[in-house]
Amino acid sequence: MRIKSDFAWRLVGLAGRLVLTSIVKTSKVRIFGKEIVDRLRQEKKPIIHILWHGRIFLAPYFFRHQGIMPLISPSEDGEIVARIIDGWGYKTLRGSSSHTMVSAWKEMVRELSEGGEVLIVPDGPRGPDRYFKPGAIKLASTTGACLIPFSFSASRRRFLSSWDHFLLALPFSRLVAIYGQPINIPPDLSEAEIENYRKLAQQRLCELDEEADRLVFSA
């Protein structure tokens, strides 16, 4: 059933924020690597946050009130995400692989050129699962921004039977949020070099998921 009224969409957003907040507030949370982002911000370094589509469930909560610009699909699923993050201090940007991506690209370049931060889901919105599309590599090479991988995991969780094996965290969990080491991308890359960095970023992001899973069940 499609949602049509703005009031209904506002309720969706409010309900989503309440659900995410309640899950985090009832859980024991450990955050790793936040000092990496803090240091880059002190250096006024533009940042591209990257995470897999299957690990975005709690990302709106952990990235809230930081002035980050997430790239969100213009689909109805993307509208749900956009409504949830509304009011949490994001600079929402809608775009996909269609023609809308041209204007979205310009907005991201402008934001990063001014020392800002964007958030990209490199296997979204429809996969393949954990295949790192090269757009974030090209954007970092163009703007001088560095890539910061992000992941989370939960001790009480469900994996959906969706294309991305979407991870749902449950209340009263042990939660881990983790930031990976920066990936610096040089300018003026050849196609072969773009592919090499694409593979590197893909590997780093997959390894970060594994690390989050390991940490959440460690003592």
Side-chain angles (χ1 to χ4, degrees):
M1 180 176 179
R2 297 183 64 87
I3 301 173
K4 295 184 178 180
S5 75
D6 185 65
F7 177 73
W9 275 119
R10 289 176 182 271
L11 289 180
V12 168
L14 177 60
R17 290 191 294 277
L18 289 174
V19 167
L20 297 187
T21 300
S22 66
I23 290 171
V24 175
K25 293 298 185 181
T26 60
S27 300
K28 180 180 179 180
V29 181
R30 292 188 295 167
I31 299 176
F32 297 87
K34 183 61 164 54
E35 69 279 357
I36 297 170
V37 177
D38 293 338
R39 184 183 72 248
L40 292 172
R41 287 171 176 166
Q42 289 176 354
E43 297 172 355
K44 301 188 183 305
K45 178 78 172 178
I47 298 171
I48 301 173
H49 301 276
I50 52 173
L51 66 157
W52 294 131
H53 197 276
R55 299 285 174 124
I56 65 173
F57 181 56
L58 291 182
Y61 182 89
F62 286 115
F63 285 104
R64 73 198 190 289
H65 303 310
Q66 298 176 50
I68 294 172
M69 177 182 284
L71 177 62
I72 299 175
S73 166
S75 66
E76 187 168 27
D77 286 346
E79 184 68 19
I80 293 173
V81 176
R83 293 291 178 155
I84 289 174
I85 69 174
D86 185 38
W88 267 352
Y90 287 91
K91 301 177 181 179
T92 305
L93 179 64
R94 307 301 296 271
S96 69
S97 57
S98 65
H99 67 279
T100 57
M101 191 60 209
V102 175
S103 59
W105 175 271
K106 293 178 180 177
E107 281 296 307
M108 289 188 293
V109 169
R110 180 193 59 77
E111 183 71 14
L112 293 168
S113 298
E114 295 175 357
E117 303 176 32
V118 304
L119 188 152
I120 293 178
V121 179
D123 62 343
R126 295 174 181 170
D129 182 28
R130 286 166 174 75
Y131 178 83
F132 199 109
K133 297 171 186 174
I137 304 297
K138 296 176 181 179
L139 184 63
S141 181
T142 299
T143 61
C146 65
L147 304 177
I148 298 292
F150 174 85
S151 186
F152 88 93
S153 191
S155 61
R156 300 186 69 246
R157 62 193 185 182
R158 296 289 183 273
F159 287 99
L160 302 185
S161 58
S162 53
W163 67 264
D164 57 354
H165 303 94
F166 195 86
L167 189 158
L168 283 176
L170 303 177
F172 307 103
S173 294
R174 293 189 304 276
L175 296 177
V176 161
I178 183 169
Y179 298 84
Q181 291 296 321
I183 305 172
N184 294 300
I185 310 296
D188 303 319
L189 295 178
S190 67
E191 289 301 315
E193 290 170 328
I194 289 173
E195 176 62 10
N196 288 337
Y197 278 105
R198 187 201 67 77
K199 290 179 178 178
L200 172 64
Q202 178 172 290
Q203 178 184 354
R204 292 274 191 90
L205 206 45
C206 287
E207 290 173 347
L208 200 66
D209 280 0
E210 295 174 359
E211 180 69 1
D213 290 339
R214 184 188 69 80
L215 287 169
V216 83
F217 290 110
S218 65

